[in-house]
Amino acid sequence: MPRYLIVAGFDFGTSYSKVVLREDNTKIAVVVRFNGFADGLLPSLVGYDGVNLLPPSPRNVGCQIPYLKMLAAHVATGTSLADAPVRLPPSVLARVNGNASELIRELLAFYFAHVVAAVRHYIANASPWRDFDFTPGNARDNLLFQMAVPTGLLAADGKTEQFFRDAFILGYKLSGQADAALTSPISADTWSNK
């Protein structure tokens, strides 16, 4: 049995998201407090300043791309962004280059990478499990993520669920390149290339 088995329950909301950590052995649970969001409610959006992607921040920098969950549900089922009820700023639409699903997957992965990085930072610096061993391949401590996706978005033969899963896996793999403090921009082209 691992020393720590932490389950990160990630409630990916339409407007705000929240992560609750629960350590399975002791049953202790805490809400992750993201940098700048002491209440634990992280806006479910990505910023874009025309060049860089920006993590959610208390400062409104650049244009905000909200409703990532709804955009993902639309493109996963083959709906074009032009037909989606969420309108994207022209500067963001200019990045589509013929494949809207790739753009939305990149934005979701960017958001998820920052959530994962911030959760790991919180565990290491502010949680009851500050001695958690993040060494790759360690068998002492385990961190698992569970993301809640409303059942209303799981139609269309599982395409939407698969889209979220793929974007989350990408975000998890790229979380080491995300800013856990949620303050640093990343070039949209650099992120796309990753």
Side-chain angles (χ1 to χ4, degrees):
M1 173 162 32
R3 181 179 62 154
Y4 296 133
L5 174 55
I6 299 175
V7 177
F10 177 21
D11 183 3
F12 178 41
T14 303
S15 298
Y16 292 91
S17 295
K18 188 173 216 168
V19 178
V20 175
L21 303 174
R22 182 176 185 267
E23 202 286 312
D24 205 49
N25 297 320
T26 62
K27 311 301 185 218
I28 294 172
V30 296
V31 174
V32 173
R33 289 185 181 88
F34 298 95
N35 184 35
F37 301 97
D39 60 2
L41 293 174
L42 184 68
S44 300
L45 55 80
V46 169
Y48 182 62
D49 66 5
V51 175
N52 300 301
L53 294 176
L54 306 124
S57 168
R59 305 170 318 191
N60 281 337
V61 179
C63 67
Q64 304 297 303
I65 305 167
Y67 306 116
L68 295 172
K69 182 166 68 173
M70 305 312 295
L71 289 167
H74 286 285
V75 299
T77 57
T79 304
S80 78
L81 286 177
D83 295 330
V86 178
R87 297 291 173 230
L88 291 175
S91 61
V92 176
L93 285 173
R95 295 198 56 81
V96 169
N97 296 328
N99 194 333
S101 65
E102 282 185 23
L103 171 67
I104 301 304
R105 186 173 45 247
E106 288 174 11
L107 294 174
L108 270 181
F110 179 83
Y111 183 78
F112 293 156
H114 283 80
V115 169
V116 171
V119 165
R120 291 170 63 102
H121 178 78
Y122 179 82
I123 291 170
N125 295 285
S127 80
W129 316 286
R130 292 184 187 116
D131 60 338
F132 189 96
D133 184 0
F134 284 106
T135 306
N138 93 81
R140 294 171 25 135
D141 300 332
N142 293 294
L143 172 61
L144 306 171
F145 282 85
Q146 294 179 334
M147 182 171 59
V149 178
T151 56
L153 297 180
L154 299 183
D157 300 327
K159 291 178 184 174
T160 304
E161 183 180 10
Q162 186 64 48
F163 191 88
F164 280 108
R165 182 180 296 129
D166 291 346
F168 189 82
I169 290 169
L170 286 170
Y172 183 84
K173 289 181 176 182
L174 293 170
S175 64
Q177 299 172 49
D179 176 22
L182 307 175
T183 58
S184 300
I186 297 176
S187 157
D189 290 334
T190 299
W191 186 259
S192 181
N193 290 333
K194 292 178 186 300

